[in-house]
Each structure stands twice: as structure tokens, then as C-alpha cells.
PDB file of all heavy atoms in Angstrom:
ATOM      1  N   ALA A   1       2.824   5.589  -2.389  1.00 96.00           N
ATOM      2  CA  ALA A   1       2.742   5.334  -3.757  1.00 96.00           C
ATOM      3  C   ALA A   1       1.434   5.652  -4.294  1.00 96.00           C
ATOM      4  O   ALA A   1       0.471   5.804  -3.541  1.00 96.00           O
ATOM      5  CB  ALA A   1       3.083   3.891  -4.045  1.00 96.00           C
ATOM      6  N   HIS A   2       1.298   5.792  -5.590  1.00 97.00           N
ATOM      7  CA  HIS A   2       0.051   5.950  -6.247  1.00 97.00           C
ATOM      8  C   HIS A   2       0.102   5.544  -7.666  1.00 97.00           C
ATOM      9  O   HIS A   2       1.135   5.401  -8.231  1.00 97.00           O
ATOM     10  CB  HIS A   2      -0.481   7.445  -6.183  1.00 97.00           C
ATOM     11  CG  HIS A   2       0.313   8.349  -6.983  1.00 97.00           C
ATOM     12  ND1 HIS A   2       1.465   9.066  -6.440  1.00 97.00           N
ATOM     13  CD2 HIS A   2       0.184   8.779  -8.251  1.00 97.00           C
ATOM     14  CE1 HIS A   2       2.008   9.763  -7.415  1.00 97.00           C
ATOM     15  NE2 HIS A   2       1.240   9.680  -8.476  1.00 97.00           N
ATOM     16  N   GLY A   3      -1.003   5.361  -8.337  1.00 96.00           N
ATOM     17  CA  GLY A   3      -1.068   4.986  -9.692  1.00 96.00           C
ATOM     18  C   GLY A   3      -2.501   4.764 -10.276  1.00 96.00           C
ATOM     19  O   GLY A   3      -3.474   5.084  -9.472  1.00 96.00           O
ATOM     20  N   VAL A   4      -2.616   4.383 -11.412  1.00 97.00           N
ATOM     21  CA  VAL A   4      -3.957   4.160 -12.102  1.00 97.00           C
ATOM     22  C   VAL A   4      -3.911   2.806 -12.824  1.00 97.00           C
ATOM     23  O   VAL A   4      -2.916   2.551 -13.445  1.00 97.00           O
ATOM     24  CB  VAL A   4      -4.288   5.288 -13.076  1.00 97.00           C
ATOM     25  CG1 VAL A   4      -5.572   5.002 -13.880  1.00 97.00           C
ATOM     26  CG2 VAL A   4      -4.431   6.729 -12.353  1.00 97.00           C
ATOM     27  N   ILE A   5      -4.941   2.053 -12.504  1.00 97.00           N
ATOM     28  CA  ILE A   5      -5.078   0.719 -13.262  1.00 97.00           C
ATOM     29  C   ILE A   5      -6.040   1.033 -14.419  1.00 97.00           C
ATOM     30  O   ILE A   5      -7.164   1.380 -14.180  1.00 97.00           O
ATOM     31  CB  ILE A   5      -5.608  -0.318 -12.392  1.00 97.00           C
ATOM     32  CG1 ILE A   5      -4.758  -0.560 -11.096  1.00 97.00           C
ATOM     33  CG2 ILE A   5      -5.886  -1.596 -13.087  1.00 97.00           C
ATOM     34  CD1 ILE A   5      -5.342  -1.331 -10.003  1.00 97.00           C
ATOM     35  N   ALA A   6      -5.526   0.853 -15.615  1.00 96.00           N
ATOM     36  CA  ALA A   6      -6.316   1.221 -16.873  1.00 96.00           C
ATOM     37  C   ALA A   6      -6.723  -0.076 -17.515  1.00 96.00           C
ATOM     38  O   ALA A   6      -5.804  -0.989 -17.616  1.00 96.00           O
ATOM     39  CB  ALA A   6      -5.496   2.080 -17.761  1.00 96.00           C
ATOM     40  N   THR A   7      -7.896  -0.056 -18.072  1.00 96.00           N
ATOM     41  CA  THR A   7      -8.375  -1.236 -18.928  1.00 96.00           C
ATOM     42  C   THR A   7      -8.861  -0.709 -20.150  1.00 96.00           C
ATOM     43  O   THR A   7      -9.313   0.430 -20.259  1.00 96.00           O
ATOM     44  CB  THR A   7      -9.383  -2.077 -18.134  1.00 96.00           C
ATOM     45  OG1 THR A   7     -10.605  -1.245 -17.995  1.00 96.00           O
ATOM     46  CG2 THR A   7      -8.980  -2.588 -16.857  1.00 96.00           C
ATOM     47  N   ARG A   8      -8.931  -1.517 -21.236  1.00 94.00           N
ATOM     48  CA  ARG A   8      -9.435  -1.114 -22.501  1.00 94.00           C
ATOM     49  C   ARG A   8     -10.834  -1.751 -22.715  1.00 94.00           C
ATOM     50  O   ARG A   8     -11.074  -2.964 -22.481  1.00 94.00           O
ATOM     51  CB  ARG A   8      -8.441  -1.664 -23.596  1.00 94.00           C
ATOM     52  CG  ARG A   8      -7.143  -0.889 -23.598  1.00 94.00           C
ATOM     53  CD  ARG A   8      -6.239  -1.225 -24.758  1.00 94.00           C
ATOM     54  NE  ARG A   8      -6.767  -1.982 -25.758  1.00 94.00           N
ATOM     55  CZ  ARG A   8      -6.364  -3.298 -25.992  1.00 94.00           C
ATOM     56  NH1 ARG A   8      -5.292  -3.733 -25.400  1.00 94.00           N
ATOM     57  NH2 ARG A   8      -6.897  -4.005 -27.000  1.00 94.00           N
ATOM     58  N   PRO A   9     -11.778  -1.004 -23.196  1.00 91.00           N
ATOM     59  CA  PRO A   9     -13.159  -1.414 -23.412  1.00 91.00           C
ATOM     60  C   PRO A   9     -13.171  -2.598 -24.396  1.00 91.00           C
ATOM     61  O   PRO A   9     -14.071  -3.506 -24.252  1.00 91.00           O
ATOM     62  CB  PRO A   9     -13.871  -0.279 -24.084  1.00 91.00           C
ATOM     63  CG  PRO A   9     -13.105   0.925 -23.584  1.00 91.00           C
ATOM     64  CD  PRO A   9     -11.709   0.542 -23.468  1.00 91.00           C
ATOM     65  N   ALA A  10     -12.256  -2.702 -25.317  1.00 93.00           N
ATOM     66  CA  ALA A  10     -12.244  -3.850 -26.281  1.00 93.00           C
ATOM     67  C   ALA A  10     -12.044  -5.211 -25.672  1.00 93.00           C
ATOM     68  O   ALA A  10     -12.372  -6.186 -26.220  1.00 93.00           O
ATOM     69  CB  ALA A  10     -11.219  -3.604 -27.375  1.00 93.00           C
ATOM     70  N   ALA A  11     -11.556  -5.177 -24.392  1.00 93.00           N
ATOM     71  CA  ALA A  11     -11.241  -6.524 -23.748  1.00 93.00           C
ATOM     72  C   ALA A  11     -12.461  -7.140 -23.239  1.00 93.00           C
ATOM     73  O   ALA A  11     -12.438  -8.340 -22.911  1.00 93.00           O
ATOM     74  CB  ALA A  11     -10.234  -6.204 -22.543  1.00 93.00           C
ATOM     75  N   GLY A  12     -13.611  -6.480 -23.132  1.00 92.00           N
ATOM     76  CA  GLY A  12     -14.796  -7.049 -22.532  1.00 92.00           C
ATOM     77  C   GLY A  12     -14.833  -6.976 -21.071  1.00 92.00           C
ATOM     78  O   GLY A  12     -13.865  -6.875 -20.392  1.00 92.00           O
ATOM     79  N   LEU A  13     -16.074  -6.945 -20.515  1.00 93.00           N
ATOM     80  CA  LEU A  13     -16.245  -6.666 -19.098  1.00 93.00           C
ATOM     81  C   LEU A  13     -15.612  -7.735 -18.198  1.00 93.00           C
ATOM     82  O   LEU A  13     -14.869  -7.300 -17.232  1.00 93.00           O
ATOM     83  CB  LEU A  13     -17.736  -6.644 -18.808  1.00 93.00           C
ATOM     84  CG  LEU A  13     -18.133  -6.315 -17.357  1.00 93.00           C
ATOM     85  CD1 LEU A  13     -17.616  -5.049 -16.933  1.00 93.00           C
ATOM     86  CD2 LEU A  13     -19.649  -6.378 -17.228  1.00 93.00           C
ATOM     87  N   GLY A  14     -15.715  -8.921 -18.439  1.00 94.00           N
ATOM     88  CA  GLY A  14     -15.189  -9.986 -17.557  1.00 94.00           C
ATOM     89  C   GLY A  14     -13.596  -9.867 -17.525  1.00 94.00           C
ATOM     90  O   GLY A  14     -13.030  -9.986 -16.453  1.00 94.00           O
ATOM     91  N   VAL A  15     -13.024  -9.764 -18.660  1.00 96.00           N
ATOM     92  CA  VAL A  15     -11.584  -9.636 -18.704  1.00 96.00           C
ATOM     93  C   VAL A  15     -11.085  -8.388 -18.023  1.00 96.00           C
ATOM     94  O   VAL A  15     -10.044  -8.383 -17.286  1.00 96.00           O
ATOM     95  CB  VAL A  15     -11.044  -9.624 -20.116  1.00 96.00           C
ATOM     96  CG1 VAL A  15      -9.589  -9.315 -20.177  1.00 96.00           C
ATOM     97  CG2 VAL A  15     -11.373 -11.050 -20.840  1.00 96.00           C
ATOM     98  N   ARG A  16     -11.771  -7.305 -18.189  1.00 96.00           N
ATOM     99  CA  ARG A  16     -11.430  -5.984 -17.578  1.00 96.00           C
ATOM    100  C   ARG A  16     -11.424  -6.070 -16.025  1.00 96.00           C
ATOM    101  O   ARG A  16     -10.608  -5.681 -15.261  1.00 96.00           O
ATOM    102  CB  ARG A  16     -12.249  -4.860 -18.079  1.00 96.00           C
ATOM    103  CG  ARG A  16     -12.025  -4.498 -19.498  1.00 96.00           C
ATOM    104  CD  ARG A  16     -13.088  -3.641 -20.089  1.00 96.00           C
ATOM    105  NE  ARG A  16     -12.761  -2.257 -19.597  1.00 96.00           N
ATOM    106  CZ  ARG A  16     -13.629  -1.225 -19.901  1.00 96.00           C
ATOM    107  NH1 ARG A  16     -14.828  -1.368 -20.473  1.00 96.00           N
ATOM    108  NH2 ARG A  16     -13.216   0.045 -19.538  1.00 96.00           N
ATOM    109  N   LEU A  17     -12.618  -6.678 -15.565  1.00 96.00           N
ATOM    110  CA  LEU A  17     -12.690  -6.849 -14.095  1.00 96.00           C
ATOM    111  C   LEU A  17     -11.657  -7.766 -13.541  1.00 96.00           C
ATOM    112  O   LEU A  17     -11.050  -7.519 -12.458  1.00 96.00           O
ATOM    113  CB  LEU A  17     -14.124  -7.479 -13.724  1.00 96.00           C
ATOM    114  CG  LEU A  17     -15.251  -6.479 -14.018  1.00 96.00           C
ATOM    115  CD1 LEU A  17     -16.621  -7.305 -13.870  1.00 96.00           C
ATOM    116  CD2 LEU A  17     -15.152  -5.261 -13.228  1.00 96.00           C
ATOM    117  N   MET A  18     -11.255  -8.852 -14.338  1.00 97.00           N
ATOM    118  CA  MET A  18     -10.143  -9.739 -13.879  1.00 97.00           C
ATOM    119  C   MET A  18      -8.786  -8.963 -13.839  1.00 97.00           C
ATOM    120  O   MET A  18      -8.048  -9.118 -12.870  1.00 97.00           O
ATOM    121  CB  MET A  18     -10.086 -10.897 -14.836  1.00 97.00           C
ATOM    122  CG  MET A  18      -9.000 -11.845 -14.459  1.00 97.00           C
ATOM    123  SD  MET A  18      -8.850 -13.304 -15.593  1.00 97.00           S
ATOM    124  CE  MET A  18      -8.323 -12.445 -17.087  1.00 97.00           C
ATOM    125  N   GLN A  19      -8.591  -8.049 -14.810  1.00 97.00           N
ATOM    126  CA  GLN A  19      -7.389  -7.277 -14.834  1.00 97.00           C
ATOM    127  C   GLN A  19      -7.342  -6.323 -13.626  1.00 97.00           C
ATOM    128  O   GLN A  19      -6.295  -6.252 -13.012  1.00 97.00           O
ATOM    129  CB  GLN A  19      -7.325  -6.527 -16.215  1.00 97.00           C
ATOM    130  CG  GLN A  19      -7.088  -7.291 -17.403  1.00 97.00           C
ATOM    131  CD  GLN A  19      -7.268  -6.495 -18.713  1.00 97.00           C
ATOM    132  OE1 GLN A  19      -7.835  -5.365 -18.707  1.00 97.00           O
ATOM    133  NE2 GLN A  19      -6.722  -7.089 -19.781  1.00 97.00           N
ATOM    134  N   ILE A  20      -8.445  -5.687 -13.347  1.00 97.00           N
ATOM    135  CA  ILE A  20      -8.485  -4.841 -12.191  1.00 97.00           C
ATOM    136  C   ILE A  20      -8.211  -5.637 -10.934  1.00 97.00           C
ATOM    137  O   ILE A  20      -7.411  -5.201 -10.076  1.00 97.00           O
ATOM    138  CB  ILE A  20      -9.803  -4.094 -12.094  1.00 97.00           C
ATOM    139  CG1 ILE A  20      -9.940  -3.067 -13.218  1.00 97.00           C
ATOM    140  CG2 ILE A  20      -9.997  -3.383 -10.665  1.00 97.00           C
ATOM    141  CD1 ILE A  20     -11.367  -2.505 -13.307  1.00 97.00           C
ATOM    142  N   HIS A  21      -8.752  -6.810 -10.794  1.00 97.00           N
ATOM    143  CA  HIS A  21      -8.599  -7.584  -9.531  1.00 97.00           C
ATOM    144  C   HIS A  21      -7.113  -7.951  -9.401  1.00 97.00           C
ATOM    145  O   HIS A  21      -6.530  -7.842  -8.398  1.00 97.00           O
ATOM    146  CB  HIS A  21      -9.479  -8.818  -9.546  1.00 97.00           C
ATOM    147  CG  HIS A  21      -9.321  -9.614  -8.382  1.00 97.00           C
ATOM    148  ND1 HIS A  21      -8.434 -10.645  -8.183  1.00 97.00           N
ATOM    149  CD2 HIS A  21     -10.097  -9.558  -7.150  1.00 97.00           C
ATOM    150  CE1 HIS A  21      -8.634 -11.217  -6.983  1.00 97.00           C
ATOM    151  NE2 HIS A  21      -9.583 -10.527  -6.339  1.00 97.00           N
ATOM    152  N   ALA A  22      -6.571  -8.478 -10.490  1.00 97.00           N
ATOM    153  CA  ALA A  22      -5.206  -8.899 -10.405  1.00 97.00           C
ATOM    154  C   ALA A  22      -4.201  -7.760 -10.128  1.00 97.00           C
ATOM    155  O   ALA A  22      -3.255  -7.892  -9.284  1.00 97.00           O
ATOM    156  CB  ALA A  22      -4.756  -9.594 -11.769  1.00 97.00           C
ATOM    157  N   ALA A  23      -4.470  -6.616 -10.719  1.00 97.00           N
ATOM    158  CA  ALA A  23      -3.591  -5.519 -10.448  1.00 97.00           C
ATOM    159  C   ALA A  23      -3.786  -4.992  -9.077  1.00 97.00           C
ATOM    160  O   ALA A  23      -2.720  -4.686  -8.386  1.00 97.00           O
ATOM    161  CB  ALA A  23      -3.891  -4.361 -11.454  1.00 97.00           C
ATOM    162  N   LEU A  24      -4.948  -4.897  -8.529  1.00 97.00           N
ATOM    163  CA  LEU A  24      -5.209  -4.442  -7.190  1.00 97.00           C
ATOM    164  C   LEU A  24      -4.587  -5.417  -6.211  1.00 97.00           C
ATOM    165  O   LEU A  24      -3.996  -4.999  -5.193  1.00 97.00           O
ATOM    166  CB  LEU A  24      -6.699  -4.318  -6.850  1.00 97.00           C
ATOM    167  CG  LEU A  24      -7.317  -2.981  -7.237  1.00 97.00           C
ATOM    168  CD1 LEU A  24      -8.818  -3.066  -6.843  1.00 97.00           C
ATOM    169  CD2 LEU A  24      -6.598  -1.897  -6.383  1.00 97.00           C
ATOM    170  N   ALA A  25      -4.766  -6.656  -6.479  1.00 97.00           N
ATOM    171  CA  ALA A  25      -4.136  -7.731  -5.549  1.00 97.00           C
ATOM    172  C   ALA A  25      -2.647  -7.498  -5.452  1.00 97.00           C
ATOM    173  O   ALA A  25      -2.077  -7.600  -4.342  1.00 97.00           O
ATOM    174  CB  ALA A  25      -4.463  -9.140  -5.945  1.00 97.00           C
ATOM    175  N   GLN A  26      -2.008  -7.231  -6.609  1.00 97.00           N
ATOM    176  CA  GLN A  26      -0.534  -7.019  -6.575  1.00 97.00           C
ATOM    177  C   GLN A  26      -0.166  -5.787  -5.848  1.00 97.00           C
ATOM    178  O   GLN A  26       0.884  -5.718  -5.142  1.00 97.00           O
ATOM    179  CB  GLN A  26      -0.009  -6.922  -8.023  1.00 97.00           C
ATOM    180  CG  GLN A  26       1.444  -6.726  -8.151  1.00 97.00           C
ATOM    181  CD  GLN A  26       2.217  -7.922  -7.444  1.00 97.00           C
ATOM    182  OE1 GLN A  26       1.959  -9.027  -7.617  1.00 97.00           O
ATOM    183  NE2 GLN A  26       3.190  -7.436  -6.674  1.00 97.00           N
ATOM    184  N   VAL A  27      -0.956  -4.666  -6.046  1.00 97.00           N
ATOM    185  CA  VAL A  27      -0.623  -3.372  -5.281  1.00 97.00           C
ATOM    186  C   VAL A  27      -0.823  -3.574  -3.746  1.00 97.00           C
ATOM    187  O   VAL A  27      -0.034  -3.111  -3.012  1.00 97.00           O
ATOM    188  CB  VAL A  27      -1.627  -2.275  -5.749  1.00 97.00           C
ATOM    189  CG1 VAL A  27      -1.463  -1.041  -4.874  1.00 97.00           C
ATOM    190  CG2 VAL A  27      -1.352  -1.914  -7.222  1.00 97.00           C
ATOM    191  N   ILE A  28      -1.851  -4.377  -3.368  1.00 97.00           N
ATOM    192  CA  ILE A  28      -2.110  -4.620  -1.960  1.00 97.00           C
ATOM    193  C   ILE A  28      -0.924  -5.425  -1.394  1.00 97.00           C
ATOM    194  O   ILE A  28      -0.334  -5.152  -0.323  1.00 97.00           O
ATOM    195  CB  ILE A  28      -3.432  -5.390  -1.729  1.00 97.00           C
ATOM    196  CG1 ILE A  28      -4.569  -4.419  -2.008  1.00 97.00           C
ATOM    197  CG2 ILE A  28      -3.490  -5.990  -0.345  1.00 97.00           C
ATOM    198  CD1 ILE A  28      -5.910  -5.178  -2.098  1.00 97.00           C
ATOM    199  N   VAL A  29      -0.393  -6.442  -2.097  1.00 97.00           N
ATOM    200  CA  VAL A  29       0.756  -7.212  -1.654  1.00 97.00           C
ATOM    201  C   VAL A  29       2.038  -6.394  -1.671  1.00 97.00           C
ATOM    202  O   VAL A  29       2.764  -6.446  -0.640  1.00 97.00           O
ATOM    203  CB  VAL A  29       0.932  -8.511  -2.579  1.00 97.00           C
ATOM    204  CG1 VAL A  29       2.336  -9.130  -2.287  1.00 97.00           C
ATOM    205  CG2 VAL A  29      -0.085  -9.441  -2.424  1.00 97.00           C
ATOM    206  N   SER A  30       2.191  -5.550  -2.648  1.00 97.00           N
ATOM    207  CA  SER A  30       3.397  -4.728  -2.666  1.00 97.00           C
ATOM    208  C   SER A  30       3.494  -3.654  -1.560  1.00 97.00           C
ATOM    209  O   SER A  30       4.593  -3.369  -1.066  1.00 97.00           O
ATOM    210  CB  SER A  30       3.480  -3.953  -3.978  1.00 97.00           C
ATOM    211  OG  SER A  30       3.589  -4.878  -5.114  1.00 97.00           O
ATOM    212  N   HIS A  31       2.358  -3.063  -1.193  1.00 97.00           N
ATOM    213  CA  HIS A  31       2.369  -1.922  -0.264  1.00 97.00           C
ATOM    214  C   HIS A  31       1.786  -2.199   1.060  1.00 97.00           C
ATOM    215  O   HIS A  31       1.930  -1.396   1.941  1.00 97.00           O
ATOM    216  CB  HIS A  31       1.650  -0.701  -0.883  1.00 97.00           C
ATOM    217  CG  HIS A  31       2.342  -0.241  -2.171  1.00 97.00           C
ATOM    218  ND1 HIS A  31       3.566   0.339  -2.118  1.00 97.00           N
ATOM    219  CD2 HIS A  31       1.996  -0.344  -3.468  1.00 97.00           C
ATOM    220  CE1 HIS A  31       4.029   0.615  -3.348  1.00 97.00           C
ATOM    221  NE2 HIS A  31       3.084   0.206  -4.208  1.00 97.00           N
ATOM    222  N   ALA A  32       1.209  -3.402   1.253  1.00 96.00           N
ATOM    223  CA  ALA A  32       0.782  -3.966   2.580  1.00 96.00           C
ATOM    224  C   ALA A  32       0.044  -2.883   3.449  1.00 96.00           C
ATOM    225  O   ALA A  32       0.354  -2.634   4.584  1.00 96.00           O
ATOM    226  CB  ALA A  32       1.974  -4.435   3.342  1.00 96.00           C
ATOM    227  N   PRO A  33      -1.086  -2.380   2.946  1.00 97.00           N
ATOM    228  CA  PRO A  33      -1.953  -1.472   3.677  1.00 97.00           C
ATOM    229  C   PRO A  33      -2.662  -2.249   4.788  1.00 97.00           C
ATOM    230  O   PRO A  33      -2.843  -3.434   4.669  1.00 97.00           O
ATOM    231  CB  PRO A  33      -2.915  -0.845   2.661  1.00 97.00           C
ATOM    232  CG  PRO A  33      -3.050  -1.970   1.605  1.00 97.00           C
ATOM    233  CD  PRO A  33      -1.739  -2.582   1.543  1.00 97.00           C
ATOM    234  N   ALA A  34      -3.029  -1.511   5.901  1.00 95.00           N
ATOM    235  CA  ALA A  34      -3.838  -2.105   6.955  1.00 95.00           C
ATOM    236  C   ALA A  34      -5.288  -1.917   6.667  1.00 95.00           C
ATOM    237  O   ALA A  34      -6.094  -2.617   7.231  1.00 95.00           O
ATOM    238  CB  ALA A  34      -3.465  -1.470   8.254  1.00 95.00           C
ATOM    239  N   ALA A  35      -5.605  -0.848   5.887  1.00 95.00           N
ATOM    240  CA  ALA A  35      -6.953  -0.471   5.592  1.00 95.00           C
ATOM    241  C   ALA A  35      -7.145  -0.012   4.252  1.00 95.00           C
ATOM    242  O   ALA A  35      -6.106   0.437   3.536  1.00 95.00           O
ATOM    243  CB  ALA A  35      -7.486   0.615   6.595  1.00 95.00           C
ATOM    244  N   ILE A  36      -8.357   0.055   3.723  1.00 96.00           N
ATOM    245  CA  ILE A  36      -8.586   0.500   2.382  1.00 96.00           C
ATOM    246  C   ILE A  36      -9.791   1.419   2.491  1.00 96.00           C
ATOM    247  O   ILE A  36     -10.823   1.159   3.177  1.00 96.00           O
ATOM    248  CB  ILE A  36      -8.834  -0.599   1.419  1.00 96.00           C
ATOM    249  CG1 ILE A  36      -8.851  -0.088  -0.044  1.00 96.00           C
ATOM    250  CG2 ILE A  36     -10.095  -1.321   1.685  1.00 96.00           C
ATOM    251  CD1 ILE A  36      -8.666  -1.198  -1.049  1.00 96.00           C
ATOM    252  N   ALA A  37      -9.758   2.553   1.796  1.00 96.00           N
ATOM    253  CA  ALA A  37     -10.860   3.557   1.790  1.00 96.00           C
ATOM    254  C   ALA A  37     -11.283   3.620   0.393  1.00 96.00           C
ATOM    255  O   ALA A  37     -10.544   3.976  -0.477  1.00 96.00           O
ATOM    256  CB  ALA A  37     -10.393   4.946   2.269  1.00 96.00           C
ATOM    257  N   VAL A  38     -12.691   3.325   0.145  1.00 94.00           N
ATOM    258  CA  VAL A  38     -13.165   3.237  -1.231  1.00 94.00           C
ATOM    259  C   VAL A  38     -14.202   4.363  -1.424  1.00 94.00           C
ATOM    260  O   VAL A  38     -15.047   4.470  -0.533  1.00 94.00           O
ATOM    261  CB  VAL A  38     -13.724   1.886  -1.570  1.00 94.00           C
ATOM    262  CG1 VAL A  38     -14.200   1.735  -2.945  1.00 94.00           C
ATOM    263  CG2 VAL A  38     -12.724   0.799  -1.266  1.00 94.00           C
ATOM    264  N   GLU A  39     -14.115   5.120  -2.494  1.00 89.00           N
ATOM    265  CA  GLU A  39     -15.108   6.116  -2.771  1.00 89.00           C
ATOM    266  C   GLU A  39     -16.424   5.409  -3.179  1.00 89.00           C
ATOM    267  O   GLU A  39     -16.408   4.461  -3.960  1.00 89.00           O
ATOM    268  CB  GLU A  39     -14.628   7.087  -3.844  1.00 89.00           C
ATOM    269  CG  GLU A  39     -15.596   8.228  -4.129  1.00 89.00           C
ATOM    270  CD  GLU A  39     -15.030   9.177  -5.102  1.00 89.00           C
ATOM    271  OE1 GLU A  39     -13.916   9.674  -4.837  1.00 89.00           O
ATOM    272  OE2 GLU A  39     -15.771   9.387  -6.153  1.00 89.00           O
ATOM    273  N   GLN A  40     -17.552   5.850  -2.640  1.00 86.00           N
ATOM    274  CA  GLN A  40     -18.823   5.285  -2.925  1.00 86.00           C
ATOM    275  C   GLN A  40     -19.194   5.763  -4.343  1.00 86.00           C
ATOM    276  O   GLN A  40     -18.738   6.784  -4.832  1.00 86.00           O
ATOM    277  CB  GLN A  40     -19.934   5.570  -1.940  1.00 86.00           C
ATOM    278  CG  GLN A  40     -19.670   5.080  -0.645  1.00 86.00           C
ATOM    279  CD  GLN A  40     -20.766   5.577   0.362  1.00 86.00           C
ATOM    280  OE1 GLN A  40     -21.265   6.637   0.232  1.00 86.00           O
ATOM    281  NE2 GLN A  40     -20.961   4.795   1.457  1.00 86.00           N
ATOM    282  N   ALA A  41     -20.050   4.884  -4.979  1.00 76.00           N
ATOM    283  CA  ALA A  41     -20.515   5.298  -6.359  1.00 76.00           C
ATOM    284  C   ALA A  41     -21.417   6.526  -6.308  1.00 76.00           C
ATOM    285  O   ALA A  41     -22.208   6.663  -5.365  1.00 76.00           O
ATOM    286  CB  ALA A  41     -21.223   4.062  -7.003  1.00 76.00           C
ATOM    287  N   PHE A  42     -21.300   7.317  -7.295  1.00 69.00           N
ATOM    288  CA  PHE A  42     -22.124   8.509  -7.335  1.00 69.00           C
ATOM    289  C   PHE A  42     -22.950   8.363  -8.599  1.00 69.00           C
ATOM    290  O   PHE A  42     -22.465   8.190  -9.685  1.00 69.00           O
ATOM    291  CB  PHE A  42     -21.223   9.765  -7.440  1.00 69.00           C
ATOM    292  CG  PHE A  42     -21.994  11.036  -7.766  1.00 69.00           C
ATOM    293  CD1 PHE A  42     -22.811  11.681  -6.799  1.00 69.00           C
ATOM    294  CD2 PHE A  42     -22.056  11.655  -9.024  1.00 69.00           C
ATOM    295  CE1 PHE A  42     -23.566  12.805  -7.037  1.00 69.00           C
ATOM    296  CE2 PHE A  42     -22.721  12.730  -9.297  1.00 69.00           C
ATOM    297  CZ  PHE A  42     -23.574  13.335  -8.319  1.00 69.00           C
ATOM    298  N   VAL A  43     -24.282   8.355  -8.455  1.00 65.00           N
ATOM    299  CA  VAL A  43     -25.162   8.162  -9.526  1.00 65.00           C
ATOM    300  C   VAL A  43     -25.765   9.555  -9.890  1.00 65.00           C
ATOM    301  O   VAL A  43     -26.477  10.154  -9.127  1.00 65.00           O
ATOM    302  CB  VAL A  43     -26.426   7.179  -9.082  1.00 65.00           C
ATOM    303  CG1 VAL A  43     -27.247   7.007 -10.318  1.00 65.00           C
ATOM    304  CG2 VAL A  43     -25.699   5.846  -8.685  1.00 65.00           C
ATOM    305  N   ALA A  44     -25.419   9.996 -11.164  1.00 63.00           N
ATOM    306  CA  ALA A  44     -25.932  11.248 -11.546  1.00 63.00           C
ATOM    307  C   ALA A  44     -26.991  11.000 -12.662  1.00 63.00           C
ATOM    308  O   ALA A  44     -28.084  10.515 -12.325  1.00 63.00           O
ATOM    309  CB  ALA A  44     -24.840  12.154 -12.090  1.00 63.00           C
ATOM    310  N   LYS A  45     -26.615  11.207 -13.886  1.00 72.00           N
ATOM    311  CA  LYS A  45     -27.552  11.078 -14.920  1.00 72.00           C
ATOM    312  C   LYS A  45     -27.441   9.811 -15.827  1.00 72.00           C
ATOM    313  O   LYS A  45     -28.324   9.518 -16.604  1.00 72.00           O
ATOM    314  CB  LYS A  45     -27.431  12.277 -15.880  1.00 72.00           C
ATOM    315  CG  LYS A  45     -27.766  13.591 -15.224  1.00 72.00           C
ATOM    316  CD  LYS A  45     -27.591  14.770 -16.077  1.00 72.00           C
ATOM    317  CE  LYS A  45     -27.902  16.072 -15.352  1.00 72.00           C
ATOM    318  NZ  LYS A  45     -27.379  17.186 -16.015  1.00 72.00           N
ATOM    319  N   ASP A  46     -26.341   9.091 -15.590  1.00 77.00           N
ATOM    320  CA  ASP A  46     -26.009   7.880 -16.442  1.00 77.00           C
ATOM    321  C   ASP A  46     -26.059   6.563 -15.603  1.00 77.00           C
ATOM    322  O   ASP A  46     -24.981   6.277 -15.037  1.00 77.00           O
ATOM    323  CB  ASP A  46     -24.739   8.203 -17.121  1.00 77.00           C
ATOM    324  CG  ASP A  46     -24.400   7.085 -18.148  1.00 77.00           C
ATOM    325  OD1 ASP A  46     -25.201   6.193 -18.326  1.00 77.00           O
ATOM    326  OD2 ASP A  46     -23.268   7.202 -18.837  1.00 77.00           O
TER     327      ASP A  46
END
């Protein structure tokens, strides 16, 4: 499976982070992975 968790800037940072956490927790429960691979942050000019 795959997808994108989208948040709206108008919601504010705390609410957006909470939405991401809740959605990710649901995806993890639904698909039961054994491991997670996360891309590291890339710092360019911003």
C-alpha cells in the first residue's frame, strides 16, 4: 500500500503534527510493518 498524509497550513503547527501522528499510527496498525525506513532531512537553502 501507499499514500500521502496531507495537512493544511491554516490548521497550525500543533494540530498538523497531531494529524500526522494519528494518521501514521493508523497506517502502522492497518499494515503491521516490522520496520520503518525514514528519509533523513536534507538542509539546502531554507
Side-chain angles (χ1 to χ4, degrees):
H2 68 270
V4 174
I5 299 166
T7 66
R8 293 188 3 244
L13 180 61
V15 171
R16 293 169 80 187
L17 294 173
M18 181 179 67
Q19 290 170 342
I20 290 169
H21 184 272
L24 270 180
Q26 182 57 48
V27 170
I28 290 169
V29 167
S30 296
H31 297 291
I36 191 164
V38 183
E39 186 174 303
Q40 292 175 339
F42 174 73
V43 181
K45 297 176 183 167
D46 188 358

